[in-house]
Amino acid sequence: MWNKPWKLKEGLWIGIGLAATGLMLQWCCGAIRWNAFAYPVNIIVLAFFLVLIFAAHALRGKVYAFRWMSTWQAAVSSLIIVLLLTIVMGVVKQVPDHQEAIDFLGITRMLSFWPFVLLYMWMTVIVGLVTLRSLFAFKWRGVPFLLSHAGLFIVLVSATLGSADMQRLKMTVGMEHPEWRAIGNNGVIHELPIAIQLKRFFIDEYAPKLVLVNHLTGKTIPEKKAEMLLIDSVFTEGELGKWHIRLNKKYDMAAPVMTRDTTNYVEWHSAGACSAVHVTVESKKKTAGEGAFCKREGWITCGSYIFPYQLLKLNDSTSLAMPEREPQRFVSHVEILTKSGKHAVTDILVNKPFEIDGWKVYQLSYDESKGRWSEVSVLELVSDPWLPVVYTGISMMLLGALLMFLSAQKKKEVQA
């Protein structure tokens, strides 16, 4: 071993050595703290990293190891080991970046695991040297190869060093005044160059449903897989278990009106309104060999943060209930101001963020206790200044792959 020319075997042993070194660093220093590489540290590290790669390329004629690092044997051996650790990362459950690893090695936080990072850097250095070799021996037919490897190098470097500058914050906005403070995963409060005020919050809900419950235990009937009856705009009557249900009245927004001996519901379009239906329920079943008939009539509601829910008792153990209505979508109508002088009034929806001054604003949550009447909205603000660089690298890789495909097709046509 270690006889020139070096082959895959030597590359694998280099990878094993880096992994062993990483384990010692993991035990001595703990996991890598990527937040320490935030701007301007990441720029300094990037400059130093590029100088080392250019120096290694310049000395490749004098140092055999540097010359070997731009060969396919070095590339394949590094890729094999990184791929193995990537598979481990996919198999082992990973914890969020702001939490500590839950295993003694640290593989549950693979992105901060020293062996993985060192091997990742080793592969990146090899990609960089291969790119430089292709660049300084430039040929037009080598453009696809150069684009693919340069793009991969840009993605690997920018995605790693740029992660320290990415911010993912939560902001709770209300209707009383603009909010410009947000909280990170570590609980630290950040003052942002962007202020947001909630103008209106609303929820589109799915149609109400009815379900049978055992009011003695509070469990659904059947317990494991409850049957539900959808009370949509076309519903008039239907079956639920052994019960026949007929709809008499339905209010999407209602409030109770109580008298001495009854509770009635009327339409009420104000905060705290709840869905209410008035139904007639009939059942025919055999009891002790004789026909028994049961009929009940009354209101059923899902309740709200103001009014309690209401069941319709059918017998000694069974009631008809309305679960809380499921949200179809929830929307925050907000006003946004920035220090740069920009002003926007827009709707923020789940999976439909709004972007302004390098920040993406996502709809995250709301006051679930008040539901559609929530007076606050929880937004997620994400800033990733390195993302355009990552996209540039990905575009170069795609363009290189496309040119390789076209070149291969052209060669086939010439041979034919």
Side-chain angles (χ1 to χ4, degrees), residues 231-246:
I231 312 298
D232 56 17
S233 58
V234 298
F235 177 84
T236 55
E237 56 185 322
E239 304 289 332
L240 191 58
K242 297 181 180 179
W243 302 90
H244 180 79
I245 301 168
R246 185 172 69 252

Side-chain angles (χ1 to χ4, degrees), residues 117-134:
V117 174
L118 288 181
L119 289 165
Y120 186 93
M121 289 175 59
W122 169 246
M123 184 181 69
T124 305
V125 168
I126 291 173
V127 173
L129 288 173
V130 171
T131 303
L132 285 180
R133 188 186 69 176
S134 178

Side-chain angles (χ1 to χ4, degrees), residues 82-153:
V82 170
L83 182 60
L84 288 175
L85 285 178
T86 304
I87 293 173
V88 173
M89 181 172 64
V91 173
V92 178
K93 183 179 179 181
Q94 301 293 300
V95 300
D97 291 338
H98 61 276
Q99 295 182 13
E100 295 295 329
I102 57 178
D103 66 295
F104 74 97
L105 281 178
I107 59 175
T108 50
R109 271 189 70 194
M110 189 67 81
L111 296 180
S112 299
F113 186 49
W114 273 101
F116 179 77
V117 174
L118 288 181
L119 289 165
Y120 186 93
M121 289 175 59
W122 169 246
M123 184 181 69
T124 305
V125 168
I126 291 173
V127 173
L129 288 173
V130 171
T131 303
L132 285 180
R133 188 186 69 176
S134 178
L135 179 63
F136 284 99
F138 180 80
K139 294 180 181 179
W140 283 107
R141 63 184 180 184
V143 169
F145 181 88
L146 177 60
L147 281 174
S148 299
H149 284 74
L152 177 59
F153 180 79

Side-chain angles (χ1 to χ4, degrees), residues 264-305:
N264 194 23
Y265 282 81
V266 296
E267 279 195 290
W268 194 59
H269 296 269
S270 296
C274 60
S275 298
V277 294
H278 188 273
V279 296
T280 300
V281 185
E282 300 177 357
S283 175
K284 197 174 254 187
K285 59 182 180 178
K286 296 293 182 179
T287 304
E290 299 180 358
F293 181 75
C294 176
K295 182 176 181 180
R296 294 287 186 270
E297 187 177 286
W299 288 95
I300 305 170
T301 74
C302 58
S304 70
Y305 75 98

Side-chain angles (χ1 to χ4, degrees), residues 12-29:
L12 292 174
W13 275 109
I14 291 173
I16 293 172
L18 287 172
T21 303
L23 282 175
M24 288 188 287
L25 288 171
Q26 186 81 14
W27 292 330
C28 296
C29 308

Side-chain angles (χ1 to χ4, degrees), residues 35-254:
N35 55 1
F37 290 86
Y39 179 84
V41 176
N42 49 13
I43 299 297
I44 297 172
V45 172
L46 175 59
F48 183 69
F49 187 64
L50 292 176
V51 168
L52 285 180
I53 292 177
F54 274 95
H57 176 75
L59 295 173
R60 72 191 186 282
K62 297 180 179 180
V63 182
Y64 176 76
F66 293 158
R67 188 162 64 253
W68 175 82
M69 286 168 62
S70 60
T71 64
W72 69 267
Q73 289 91 344
V76 171
S77 59
S78 66
L79 184 61
I80 289 173
I81 299 180
V82 170
L83 182 60
L84 288 175
L85 285 178
T86 304
I87 293 173
V88 173
M89 181 172 64
V91 173
V92 178
K93 183 179 179 181
Q94 301 293 300
V95 300
D97 291 338
H98 61 276
Q99 295 182 13
E100 295 295 329
I102 57 178
D103 66 295
F104 74 97
L105 281 178
I107 59 175
T108 50
R109 271 189 70 194
M110 189 67 81
L111 296 180
S112 299
F113 186 49
W114 273 101
F116 179 77
V117 174
L118 288 181
L119 289 165
Y120 186 93
M121 289 175 59
W122 169 246
M123 184 181 69
T124 305
V125 168
I126 291 173
V127 173
L129 288 173
V130 171
T131 303
L132 285 180
R133 188 186 69 176
S134 178
L135 179 63
F136 284 99
F138 180 80
K139 294 180 181 179
W140 283 107
R141 63 184 180 184
V143 169
F145 181 88
L146 177 60
L147 281 174
S148 299
H149 284 74
L152 177 59
F153 180 79
I154 291 171
V155 170
L156 292 174
V157 173
S158 58
T160 304
L161 294 177
S163 62
D165 287 336
M166 187 180 76
Q167 290 183 287
R168 189 181 296 272
L169 310 171
K170 291 181 182 179
M171 177 185 287
T172 301
V173 298
M175 298 182 179
E176 296 181 356
H177 53 76
E179 182 59 75
W180 64 93
R181 295 161 298 178
I183 301 176
N185 291 326
N186 53 6
V188 176
I189 297 176
H190 300 259
E191 292 191 0
L192 304 180
I194 178 172
I196 305 176
Q197 183 172 1
L198 181 66
K199 294 299 183 180
R200 183 188 169 216
F201 179 83
F202 57 95
I203 295 179
D204 292 332
E205 297 176 319
Y206 288 103
K209 300 175 182 178
L210 297 181
V211 61
L212 294 172
V213 297
N214 185 324
H215 55 248
L216 301 178
T217 63
K219 297 179 179 179
T220 59
I221 304 173
E223 182 177 335
K224 292 185 178 179
K225 191 176 181 181
E227 298 179 5
M228 292 191 178
L229 193 62
L230 184 67
I231 312 298
D232 56 17
S233 58
V234 298
F235 177 84
T236 55
E237 56 185 322
E239 304 289 332
L240 191 58
K242 297 181 180 179
W243 302 90
H244 180 79
I245 301 168
R246 185 172 69 252
L247 179 66
N248 302 321
K249 291 181 181 179
K250 175 188 173 185
Y251 298 130
D252 285 331
M253 301 176 69

